[in-house]
Amino acid sequence: MSEAVSAGDGPEGYPGVGRVLVVVPTYNEADNVRLIVGRVRAAVPQVDVLIADDNSPDGTGAVADELAGADGQVFVLHRPGKQGLGAAYVAGFSWAKERGYDAVVEMDADGSHAPEQLPQLLDAARSADVVIGSRWVPGGEVLNWPRHRWLVSQCGNLYTRLALGMPVRDATGGYRVYRLPVLDKIDYGSVSSQGYSFQVELTWRAYREGFRIVEVPITFAEREQGASKMSAAIVREALWRVTVWGLRARRDAVTGAGRRDRDAASSARWP
């Protein structure tokens, strides 16, 4: 891990939100990481950036170290190997918690999440617990996606809403802001999901705990450089996990209602 200066030695934070850390997971993103970090620092100078690199064989870690050496608000978390997006974010969340940040941003390294739209998400975080940069609310859009990717995302999010009864239109979206108390409450360290299902599981836990979730429209652009990490296995994992969570929630609702009925009957018989 490279830390040129102590985290947070830069500006005081984003107005109304506090100290913000943007976590950017990387694996073979040497062509993109310099550009995305530069855009973040130009768009929102108040935030710090943590590059969480999974020992990329293409030299991404070395590029990240160079960026951190030149900018006291950029840091690097070198991880031992490719462990997945969810594990990278969990490590980034813990890094932020240990250093007293108030909010954490999830952002892809490939440029699909525009740093120039981060101020809108942070503004929404002044009165929300979780902010999702949403492709599927009015004003949101997706650029340069093939038809099958569009259908997979739309249908997956529809299924998630129906299975979980959760009124979030882009539960799989990966451009987010979390307040640190939310992450503590939902026990983020116990989340083992990856890919789409990691994002859904965090949303589901926050929703069940009663946190205020707000969706802000964003423009999502497909990466121009490097290979997409999306796969059929990631989609299958998400569908399977959402189904299990939905069935479990229905079971808990039924057993909970039955228990309340029994308690009410017992109280009526034995005042």
Side-chain angles (χ1 to χ4, degrees):
M1 179 173 65
S2 171
E3 295 185 33
V5 295
S6 299
D9 280 359
E12 288 300 314
Y14 193 86
V17 179
R19 296 179 60 229
V20 177
L21 181 70
V22 178
V23 179
V24 182
T26 56
Y27 185 77
N28 287 348
E29 296 288 358
D31 292 336
N32 293 312
V33 67
R34 191 186 307 276
L35 178 60
I36 197 67
V37 170
R39 289 173 62 188
V40 171
R41 295 289 291 115
V44 193
Q46 302 97 322
V47 307
D48 291 345
V49 179
L50 175 68
I51 303 165
D53 184 65
D54 277 12
N55 196 25
S56 300
D58 73 342
T60 300
V63 176
D65 284 337
E66 178 187 336
L67 295 172
D71 188 336
Q73 286 177 248
V74 178
F75 306 91
V76 186
L77 180 62
H78 290 287
R79 289 156 43 77
K82 189 177 182 182
Q83 300 173 37
L85 180 72
Y89 275 130
V90 167
F93 296 161
S94 295
W95 196 96
K97 179 181 177 181
E98 291 165 4
R99 290 157 180 80
Y101 284 90
D102 300 296
V104 177
V105 176
E106 296 182 359
M107 182 183 291
D108 287 353
D110 60 13
S112 57
H113 300 147
E116 295 75 18
Q117 294 185 313
L118 181 55
Q120 288 95 292
L121 273 67
L122 292 175
D123 288 346
R126 291 170 177 160
S127 58
D129 302 304
V130 180
V131 179
I132 299 175
S134 179
R135 299 160 291 184
W136 308 125
V137 296
E141 62 178 334
V142 174
L143 304 179
N144 305 322
W145 256 12
R147 182 68 174 175
H148 74 275
R149 284 285 303 276
W150 187 92
L151 286 171
V152 166
S153 183
Q154 282 276 37
C155 292
N157 276 289
L158 175 60
Y159 180 71
T160 297
R161 289 199 302 277
L162 294 175
L164 301 181
M166 182 172 63
V168 175
R169 298 191 63 84
D170 198 355
T172 62
Y175 196 4
R176 299 172 172 229
V177 181
Y178 286 99
R179 293 280 196 165
L180 260 296
V182 175
L183 294 173
D184 285 338
K185 182 68 175 179
I186 65 178
D187 188 19
Y188 67 87
S190 68
V191 176
S192 60
S193 306
Q194 293 296 326
Y196 278 168
S197 57
F198 175 79
Q199 306 297 2
V200 176
E201 184 168 1
L202 287 183
T203 311
W204 176 231
R205 291 188 181 201
Y207 173 73
R208 296 195 76 183
E209 290 291 345
F211 288 110
R212 184 166 186 258
I213 302 171
V214 171
E215 293 185 87
V216 173
I218 62 165
T219 297
F220 180 97
E222 179 67 340
R223 67 161 62 229
E224 295 182 358
Q225 300 185 73
S228 172
K229 310 300 191 297
M230 182 51 57
S231 69
I234 290 174
V235 175
R236 287 195 298 270
E237 181 199 14
L239 292 175
W240 175 75
R241 287 185 182 272
V242 167
T243 301
V244 170
W245 296 330
L247 292 173
R248 188 175 297 154
R250 284 165 173 74
R251 180 202 65 194
D252 292 346
V254 170
T255 57
R259 189 178 302 111
R260 288 192 297 272
D261 289 345
R262 290 193 296 274
D263 290 346
S266 177
S267 297
R269 287 195 301 269
W270 306 104

